[in-house]
């Protein structure tokens, strides 16, 4: 049965998508597919950071599309509507229905250019500082990285190798799609995608201190960066 999504550009639709992706990396299956592209295309804008799961998924699919595209067919989804629900549009009756100001009213009753009090100045400065700090935090960039992870030999358990790779967890690191690629003489390498927050994750340190160090190096012989793209 096809997965159905409704009103993806409304708060209710985004919340349902966010909840759906809480325990999933992709819309259907275990690899990025055309189902992901369909939902991606139905979104008018990237989900805000409020919808953390949907935002994570969107950035990952965006990186995949920039890097190499998606060819997996998918299991089928249904987009019922992408229009914002009328009931979810913020109502503004207080503004619309407000009676027009009588032109004969005494203008001296309201001082639009009155001097700010010390409390008002302090509150304005605090708001400006908070906005500035928030803007700096949002400026932290992200990158999409494609890694080649090579085993020791043809007897290396590739399933355990991938488990060792994905067991490496840290703030700002998100593992994505993967596949096994034949190298020769019966040996296969693991090719895996990851998304990182540039200020939090160093790919070189990740490889040297985690992937090629104990206990992961029991299965991993070496790692190479195949592609590195800013998101």
């Amino acid at each position: 049965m096809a997965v159905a999504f409704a009103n993806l550009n409304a708060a209710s639709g985004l919340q349902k998508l966010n909840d759906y992706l809480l325990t999933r990396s992709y819309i259907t299956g275990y690899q990025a597919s055309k189902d992901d592209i369909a939902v991606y295309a139905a979104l008018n804008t990237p989900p805000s950071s409020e919808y953390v799961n949907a935002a994570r998924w969107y950035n990952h699919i965006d990186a995949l599309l920039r890097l190499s595209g998606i060819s997996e067919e998918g299991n089928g989804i249904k987009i019922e509507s992408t229009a914002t629900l009328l009931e979810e549009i913020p109502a503004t009756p207080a503004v619309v229905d407000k009676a027009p100001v009588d032109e004969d009213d005494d203008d001296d009753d309201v001082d639009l250019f009155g001097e700010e009090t010390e409390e008002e100045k302090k509150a304005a400065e605090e708001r400006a500082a908070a906005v500035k700090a928030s803007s700096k935090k949002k400026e932290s960039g992200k990158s999409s990285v494609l890694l080649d992870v090579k085993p020791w030999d043809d007897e290396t358990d590739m399933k355990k190798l991938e488990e060792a790779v994905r067991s490496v967890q840290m703030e700002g690191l998100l593992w994505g799609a993967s596949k096994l690629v034949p190298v020769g003489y019966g040996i296969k390498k693991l090719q895996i995608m990851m998304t990182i927050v540039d200020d939090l994750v160093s790919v070189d340190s990740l490889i040297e201190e985690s992937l090629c160090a104990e206990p992961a190096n029991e299965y991993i012989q070496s790692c190479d960066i195949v592609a590195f793209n800013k998101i």
Side-chain angles (χ1 to χ4, degrees):
M1 182 177 181
V3 180
F5 294 98
N7 302 299
L8 286 173
N9 293 297
S12 60
L14 278 174
Q15 186 60 55
K16 289 180 181 178
L17 177 63
N18 190 65
D19 294 341
Y20 179 81
L21 291 168
L22 177 63
T23 57
R24 298 173 174 85
S25 296
Y26 303 104
I27 299 300
T28 57
Y30 299 96
Q31 296 186 59
S33 70
K34 292 181 180 179
D35 291 343
D36 294 276
I37 296 178
V39 178
Y40 175 93
L43 292 165
N44 292 338
T45 58
S48 67
S49 58
E50 175 186 356
Y51 306 100
V52 60
N53 303 314
R56 163 187 54 78
W57 164 85
Y58 185 96
N59 290 335
H60 179 53
I61 298 303
D62 185 70
L64 286 178
L65 290 172
R66 291 169 181 263
L67 184 62
S68 59
I70 297 173
S71 58
E72 191 75 12
E73 285 299 323
N75 299 323
I77 62 166
K78 182 179 181 182
I79 308 296
E80 295 180 351
S81 173
T82 57
T84 303
L85 293 175
L86 180 61
E87 64 186 24
E88 296 187 23
I89 299 176
T92 56
V95 176
V96 175
D97 298 336
K98 184 178 294 185
V101 177
D102 188 345
E103 294 181 358
D104 294 332
D105 284 349
D106 187 356
D107 291 339
D108 293 335
D109 291 343
V110 180
D111 184 3
L112 297 178
F113 303 99
E115 184 177 353
E116 287 184 322
T117 65
E118 288 299 322
E119 291 78 7
E120 290 173 335
K121 289 181 179 179
K122 184 177 180 180
E125 290 173 356
E126 291 176 350
R127 287 195 297 271
V131 171
K132 184 176 181 180
S134 177
S135 299
K136 287 185 177 179
K137 186 174 181 181
K138 291 179 180 179
E139 287 174 0
S140 179
K142 292 184 179 181
S143 297
S144 176
V145 185
L146 184 64
L147 287 182
D148 270 355
V149 184
K150 299 174 183 177
W152 287 103
D153 51 40
D154 61 343
E155 294 183 358
T156 301
D157 189 327
M158 296 303 291
K159 183 177 180 181
K160 290 185 177 179
L161 180 145
E162 181 170 357
E163 290 175 354
V165 172
R166 293 185 183 275
S167 69
V168 178
Q169 298 290 327
M170 63 181 67
E171 184 180 2
L173 169 64
L174 175 66
W175 294 109
S178 65
K179 65 180 179 179
L180 295 178
V181 179
V183 176
Y185 303 100
I187 300 176
K188 294 183 179 180
K189 64 181 177 181
L190 174 71
Q191 199 167 77
I192 187 167
M193 178 76 67
M194 66 178 180
T195 302
I196 63 169
V197 176
D198 297 333
D199 291 346
L200 299 178
V201 180
S202 165
V203 179
D204 291 335
S205 297
L206 173 67
I207 293 174
E208 181 179 347
E209 299 174 9
S210 300
L211 296 178
C212 292
E214 294 183 352
N217 65 356
E218 178 181 351
Y219 306 101
I220 299 171
Q221 188 266 334
S222 64
C223 296
D224 295 316
I225 299 174
V226 179
F228 196 119
N229 294 281
K230 296 290 185 182
I231 299 176

